[in-house]
Amino acid sequence: MAYNGAAYHGYQRQNNAYTIQQAVEESLSRLLSEKVAINGCSRTDAGVHAREYVFSFTTNNNIPPEGLILGANNILPGDIAFFSCEEVSEDFHARFDCKGKEYEYLIYNSKIKDPFYNKIAMRYWYRLDEKLLDDQAKAFIGNHDFKGFCSADCDKEDTRRTIYSFGVTREDRLVRFKVSGDGFLYNMVRIMVGTLLYINEGKIEKGAIPILLEQKDRTKGGVTVPPDGLYLNKVFY
Amino acid sequence: MAYNGAAYHGYQRQNNAYTIQQAVEESLSRLLSEKVAINGCSRTDAGVHAREYVFSFTTNNNIPPEGLILGANNILPGDIAFFSCEEVSEDFHARFDCKGKEYEYLIYNSKIKDPFYNKIAMRYWYRLDEKLLDDQAKAFIGNHDFKGFCSADCDKEDTRRTIYSFGVTREDRLVRFKVSGDGFLYNMVRIMVGTLLYINEGKIEKGAIPILLEQKDRTKGGVTVPPDGLYLNKVFY
């Protein structure tokens, strides 16, 4: 499925806040006339979006995949959409079987405020040098300890991850940071992008990323950019 | 200013609903430390958007136009943006001085639901023949009585209006209906577009628009398409 996360308190079910998981489970339960629980591929934070989010569920209903998509899309809110559905073996697990992910961070680079990019991109005022940042971002590629690039809330013991690719491109006022890897720590994409923005502003020196990776100190990097610009693009199996 | 109207109950102030006018007046009053009332160029319905909405107000504050734009954009919600401001003579009236308007109706033409076009375009499932509709739409151009193309709620005595241009173009899945004229009756753009969609579906015959204009009967035309796709594009003085 794809979703615009602006109106949701993240993916995962919560007691007192409306989430993507709750919206999907309620819609599927209504469509299939049975209680449905879904297994998602990843948590996403409040306000974060997804373009190809994968989840699985078990049903006794014989509805064909095509019918399920059509039916669910009519019941689901307008900011959540299903576009593909297939039967999988019972041991498929959307999260544990995941081999990697691609994220995009979208920046609206302009001094002009555009109300139609509200909550679906981060607005960045200063001129962004996408060629410089594309070059600097390459330093993240490879297997590194990303301890300095995750939130203090991160509870993972092993903070080594492999980044496969990291590119920065511009299309007019839109600048896209696209990064893929075998896994990402909590807030990792948002801190990597925030660090690149600090390099753009001269607050962190060019060429500093390998040093920051060595230092493993969150306080040396850039800000954690807001969730509005973050998209879970693809999940690999 | 421009605004994404999805979250608002239209432009005009209401007692029990949040509107664009209220959001703007509250922000300006806070910025200028005095009670500000604005004069808008047009009402827009709940859910309708604007790209170049013109309004005026009087202030005793000496803030320069540039400062006003910057300050207001920081206080205003993210879905409302100011981008131009100038001093005008005291007898300027955004509504009465208006010589014409341009509207756009935006259709997302696909069987695939896209959560990022939710509430900023109308989704239209059937293949839309933009060349046919561009040709058919030309019949609206000129001075006509649009009594058959306004809502029953329309309270105007004189229902004659002049349409200057009407074009339909496609860019991938996005189809744009762009229409300009000296004035528009209540729901007029949405009914003209709905009638063109009925022609696309064969529910109304090709070439029927001149006849519908003659008949002056709202029940003969197409549906009133939803507000989500409607943009007040420009206002002429």
Side-chain angles (χ1 to χ4, degrees):
Chain A
M1 66 177 159
Y3 55 81
N4 177 335
Y8 297 87
H9 289 262
Y11 171 77
Q12 180 152 298
R13 242 185 205 279
Q14 290 181 35
N15 283 330
N16 301 308
Y18 195 55
T19 65
I20 299 290
Q21 186 180 7
Q22 183 182 344
V24 170
E25 289 180 345
E26 285 174 359
S27 298
L28 284 175
S29 299
R30 209 178 121 198
L31 180 70
L32 304 173
S33 306
E34 61 180 9
K35 201 168 157 56
V36 173
I38 67 172
N39 264 307
C41 62
S42 178
R43 292 188 192 181
T44 59
D45 273 345
V48 171
H49 320 292
R51 292 209 176 92
E52 280 186 35
Y53 190 97
V54 175
F55 65 92
S56 68
F57 64 95
T58 305
T59 179
N60 297 307
N61 194 305
N62 284 322
I63 190 168
E66 262 311 299
L68 187 135
I69 293 175
L70 284 172
N73 278 337
N74 277 328
I75 294 175
L76 284 162
D79 46 14
I80 303 179
F82 290 180
F83 53 87
S84 166
C85 174
E86 56 185 291
E87 269 187 79
V88 288
S89 73
E90 276 199 65
D91 60 359
F92 173 79
H93 196 291
R95 184 150 63 95
F96 300 147
D97 292 350
C98 166
K99 297 241 184 317
K101 289 177 192 166
E102 180 185 282
Y103 281 96
E104 178 180 310
Y105 196 85
L106 181 62
I107 285 187
Y108 183 78
N109 186 208
S110 173
K111 289 196 163 64
I112 297 166
K113 184 177 172 187
D114 186 326
F116 299 101
Y117 282 103
N118 185 40
K119 293 190 182 173
I120 57 167
M122 175 198 175
R123 182 156 71 109
Y124 186 71
W125 175 281
Y126 308 103
R127 175 74 192 180
L128 200 150
D129 183 345
E130 71 278 6
K131 288 191 181 62
L132 167 70
L133 297 196
D134 183 61
D135 178 59
Q136 295 290 306
K138 301 301 185 234
F140 286 121
I141 297 175
N143 183 271
H144 304 285
D145 186 343
F146 284 92
K147 198 172 161 45
F149 288 88
C150 70
S151 150
D153 299 344
C154 174
D155 55 0
K156 292 280 193 303
E157 289 229 338
D158 180 10
T159 48
R160 289 197 79 88
R161 294 290 182 275
T162 301
I163 296 298
Y164 304 137
S165 65
F166 203 145
V168 184
T169 54
R170 175 187 291 274
E171 221 180 297
D172 218 346
R173 290 176 181 171
L174 295 179
V175 179
R176 293 173 201 277
F177 295 70
K178 216 173 262 188
V179 54
S180 71
D182 64 352
F184 293 86
L185 303 167
Y186 190 52
N187 282 354
M188 184 170 144
V189 178
R190 289 162 61 186
I191 297 168
M192 291 193 292
V193 172
T195 300
L196 289 167
L197 295 185
Y198 267 28
I199 293 177
N200 188 66
E201 291 159 35
K203 291 180 186 167
I204 290 180
E205 272 182 39
K206 289 175 209 173
I209 288 170
I211 303 159
L212 293 170
L213 285 164
E214 277 301 312
Q215 289 179 322
K216 299 172 195 173
D217 179 354
R218 171 68 191 94
T219 66
K220 307 279 194 209
V223 285
T224 303
V225 288
D228 316 59
L230 188 62
Y231 293 74
L232 174 56
N233 252 4
K234 279 178 197 161
V235 191
F236 308 115
Y237 291 97
Chain B
M1 67 177 158
Y3 56 82
N4 178 336
Y8 297 88
H9 289 261
Y11 170 78
Q12 182 153 298
R13 243 184 205 278
Q14 290 180 35
N15 283 330
N16 300 309
Y18 195 54
T19 64
I20 299 289
Q21 185 180 7
Q22 185 183 343
V24 171
E25 288 180 345
E26 284 174 0
S27 298
L28 284 177
S29 297
R30 209 178 120 200
L31 179 70
L32 304 174
S33 306
E34 62 182 7
K35 201 168 159 55
V36 173
I38 66 172
N39 264 307
C41 62
S42 177
R43 292 188 193 181
T44 59
D45 272 346
V48 171
H49 319 292
R51 292 209 176 92
E52 279 186 37
Y53 190 98
V54 175
F55 65 92
S56 68
F57 64 95
T58 305
T59 179
N60 296 309
N61 195 305
N62 283 323
I63 190 167
E66 262 311 300
L68 186 136
I69 294 175
L70 285 171
N73 278 337
N74 277 329
I75 295 175
L76 283 162
D79 47 13
I80 303 179
F82 290 180
F83 52 88
S84 168
C85 174
E86 56 185 290
E87 268 187 79
V88 287
S89 73
E90 274 199 68
D91 60 359
F92 174 78
H93 196 291
R95 184 150 62 96
F96 300 147
D97 292 350
C98 166
K99 297 240 182 322
K101 289 177 193 165
E102 180 186 281
Y103 281 95
E104 178 180 310
Y105 197 85
L106 182 63
I107 285 187
Y108 183 77
N109 187 209
S110 174
K111 288 195 163 64
I112 297 165
K113 184 177 172 186
D114 186 326
F116 299 102
Y117 282 102
N118 185 41
K119 294 190 180 173
I120 56 166
M122 175 198 176
R123 182 156 71 109
Y124 186 71
W125 175 282
Y126 309 104
R127 175 74 193 180
L128 200 150
D129 183 346
E130 70 277 7
K131 287 190 181 64
L132 167 70
L133 297 196
D134 183 62
D135 178 58
Q136 295 290 306
K138 301 302 186 234
F140 286 121
I141 296 174
N143 182 272
H144 303 285
D145 186 343
F146 284 91
K147 197 172 161 48
F149 289 88
C150 70
S151 151
D153 299 342
C154 174
D155 54 1
K156 291 282 195 302
E157 288 229 339
D158 179 10
T159 48
R160 291 197 77 89
R161 294 290 183 277
T162 301
I163 296 298
Y164 303 137
S165 65
F166 203 145
V168 184
T169 55
R170 175 186 291 274
E171 218 180 301
D172 219 347
R173 291 175 180 172
L174 295 179
V175 180
R176 292 172 202 277
F177 296 70
K178 216 173 261 189
V179 54
S180 70
D182 64 352
F184 293 86
L185 302 167
Y186 190 51
N187 282 353
M188 183 169 146
V189 177
R190 290 162 60 186
I191 297 168
M192 291 193 293
V193 172
T195 300
L196 289 167
L197 295 184
Y198 267 28
I199 293 176
N200 188 66
E201 291 159 36
K203 291 180 185 166
I204 290 180
E205 273 182 41
K206 289 175 210 175
I209 288 170
I211 302 158
L212 293 170
L213 285 164
E214 277 301 311
Q215 288 178 321
K216 297 173 197 173
D217 179 354
R218 170 69 190 96
T219 66
K220 307 282 194 209
V223 286
T224 303
V225 288
D228 315 59
L230 188 61
Y231 294 73
L232 175 56
N233 252 4
K234 278 178 199 163
V235 191
F236 308 116
Y237 291 98

